[in-house]
Amino acid sequence: MATSAVSLDKLRPARPEDLDARIRAAKEKLGKRAIILGHHYQREEVYRHADVHGDSLMLSREAAQQDAEFIVFCGVHFMAEVADIMSRPEQVSILPDLAAGCSMADMADIAKVEQAWRELGQVLDPDESVTPVTYINSAADLKAFCGEHGGIVCTSSNATKILKWAFDRREKVLFFPDQHLGRWTGYQLGVPLEDMAIWDPDQPMGGLSPEEIRKARVLLWKGFCSVHQMFQPGHIDRWRAANPDGFVISHPESSFEVCLKSDFVGSTDFIIRTIKGAEPGTKWLVGTELNLVSRLAEEVKPEGKQVEFMSPMVCMCSTMFRIDPEHLAWALENLVEGKVVNQIKVPADEAELARVALQRMLDLS
Ligand code: 13P
Ligand code: SF4
């Protein structure tokens, strides 16, 4: 039963310890009715309240397995959409701040993807020869597009497996929205760089000639993550000169040159597992979001491991950072009062097709 709603303004300004206590109290009252999922990029004051932590693959699997009435997603919009799509209809997915989007996901939209498909149709039959593969960092309607056209979703931790699947079915892949993950994965599978072409959605025919389209095995959407573009090959060179015995590990959203110069490339979860599993006393340079790197550096310090952030600039994911303790307390306290705020609901027809593409991915992972 809804009683009075809790106002966000009344939570400000609040002392961090008060917010912490309010979040704990609301969680306690909700008990098993609510579960909090937290991505590795979340700030510490939020991360500590998550019941489950993970990368985007792990959290999408978790979302499909939860029994709780409310799934409170401390992450970004596309993740809460996945939670809604993969959970049962009566479960409710909540994003504590609706402004927590993903600038990379916004670089592809359904109108531009459908236009690309039509334009490709002037050169070849895309439904015969192109598998659309969307990175999970994309809106639900793009996942639905993939579900409808024999395509699939991938994350940074399963992209190689997914691309292999895609090539087993059709000769080409249209990969959106992250060109860097697409290029790195294609390269890992032995596709030469000259057989991967950038599809610029703002140019007619993606800026490509019919010959270039016919030759390409991977068409890379011209999207990128602004956080991971901050990492430069020069950062690695300088660090290696000072730490010749150290290791470099990067997220595949980083540029091709950064990935090529890294000893290891993988998802957020892979980065955490690799460094936690490494020998005591080892040194690491890490190319991914700052909140994750700072937390990891503290966690492995007692084993004498040294973890450094790749860029000299502070580069956090500003949208992940939108989820703050105020918004989390607000969302939870409203649930205690019987009021759902910031529900993420994907339209049923779109969700059904998106689920097809997501389930294909989960079945392969
Ligand atoms: P992961 O799949 O590694 O969690 O990455 C998600 C993301 O948005 C990285 O920028
Ligand atoms: Fe999106 Fe980049 Fe933030 Fe990941 S780090 S959520 S890709 S903007």
Side-chain angles (χ1 to χ4, degrees):
M1 255 310 266
T3 53
S4 59
V6 178
S7 140
L8 187 54
D9 289 342
K10 286 208 183 113
L11 284 160
R12 292 189 169 123
R15 292 185 312 160
E17 55 274 31
D18 293 342
L19 282 171
D20 207 66
R22 290 177 73 155
I23 293 169
R24 284 181 204 285
K27 267 190 84 176
E28 176 100 25
K29 282 187 193 143
L30 289 164
K32 289 202 164 67
R33 294 179 65 210
I35 181 132
I36 304 181
L37 304 185
H39 188 265
H40 293 307
Y41 288 169
Q42 289 293 296
R43 53 167 95 192
E44 183 50 38
E45 315 87 270
V46 168
Y47 193 80
R48 70 170 73 113
H49 296 293
D51 300 295
V52 182
H53 304 111
D55 64 1
S56 43
L57 176 64
M58 194 186 294
L59 294 176
S60 57
R61 260 206 216 102
E62 284 291 333
Q65 287 165 4
Q66 292 306 322
D67 284 328
E69 207 177 316
F70 307 113
I71 301 172
V72 180
F73 219 118
C74 295
V76 286
H77 192 269
F78 71 82
M79 297 179 177
E81 277 188 337
V82 170
D84 179 55
I85 295 164
M86 299 313 290
S87 56
R88 294 189 308 278
E90 67 277 16
Q91 289 177 293
V92 174
S93 172
I94 290 167
L95 183 66
D97 185 346
L98 294 179
C102 164
S103 54
M104 177 216 279
D106 294 342
M107 290 178 190
D109 63 44
I110 189 64
K112 288 274 166 70
V113 169
E114 282 175 344
Q115 182 186 329
W117 208 247
R118 276 194 305 277
E119 290 179 336
L120 287 172
Q122 295 174 29
V123 179
L124 37 82
D125 179 354
D127 281 292
E128 279 289 314
S129 51
V130 186
T131 309
V133 179
T134 187
Y135 189 22
I136 198 164
N137 296 39
S138 57
D141 50 7
L142 300 194
K143 297 182 175 85
F145 178 92
C146 291
E148 193 176 2
H149 291 275
I152 193 162
V153 178
C154 77
T155 77
S156 57
S157 59
N158 59 18
T160 312
K161 227 182 261 177
I162 301 293
L163 233 61
K164 247 189 226 154
W165 177 90
F167 282 130
D168 282 348
R169 294 162 68 91
R170 296 176 188 169
E171 92 197 52
K172 295 178 194 291
V173 163
L174 172 63
F175 191 95
F176 41 88
D178 186 20
Q179 60 170 297
H180 298 288
L181 177 64
R183 186 179 293 108
W184 180 250
T185 311
Y187 185 76
Q188 294 304 106
L189 289 176
V191 181
L193 291 182
E194 58 272 22
D195 289 354
M196 296 194 248
I198 299 270
W199 183 275
D200 181 347
D202 295 325
Q203 302 280 335
M205 300 296 283
L208 298 172
S209 67
E211 203 33 61
E212 286 169 321
I213 291 174
R214 276 189 212 101
K215 180 173 186 288
R217 290 204 63 212
V218 186
L219 293 156
L220 300 164
W221 198 264
K222 201 180 174 188
F224 58 88
C225 165
S226 44
V227 177
H228 288 83
Q229 297 330 288
M230 304 291 279
F231 307 125
Q232 301 291 325
H235 299 149
I236 300 180
D237 294 340
R238 278 193 288 283
W239 189 83
R240 282 208 197 273
N243 302 275
D245 54 344
F247 300 100
V248 178
I249 188 164
S250 305
H251 195 280
E253 287 172 15
S254 307
S255 72
F256 182 72
E257 294 72 21
V258 164
C259 292
L260 212 52
K261 279 183 180 276
S262 300
D263 299 299
F264 304 93
V265 177
S267 76
T268 53
D269 206 61
F270 170 83
I271 293 172
I272 294 169
R273 275 187 288 112
T274 305
I275 297 182
K276 283 192 174 170
E279 291 295 315
T282 45
K283 293 179 194 163
W284 294 85
L285 183 69
V286 186
T288 199
E289 207 266 352
L290 184 59
N291 279 295
L292 182 160
V293 180
S294 308
R295 183 184 312 114
L296 187 57
E298 285 306 309
E299 281 176 20
V300 299
K301 208 188 262 172
E303 298 163 55
K305 292 179 202 168
Q306 179 192 310
V307 171
E308 283 180 56
F309 186 57
M310 194 176 286
S311 171
M313 319 261 285
V314 173
C315 42
M316 288 187 299
C317 175
S318 56
T319 47
M320 285 272 181
F321 202 66
R322 298 293 304 218
I323 309 294
D324 55 17
E326 284 87 346
H327 282 88
L328 181 56
W330 172 71
L332 294 175
E333 289 184 354
N334 270 292
L335 289 181
V336 170
E337 295 298 323
K339 188 167 187 303
V340 171
V341 290
N342 289 6
Q343 179 175 4
I344 302 299
K345 187 87 202 136
V346 177
D349 50 341
E350 200 172 294
E352 199 179 316
L353 285 169
R355 198 177 303 116
V356 171
L358 279 160
Q359 196 56 53
R360 280 184 189 135
M361 171 188 85
L362 291 176
D363 292 345
L364 283 170
S365 304

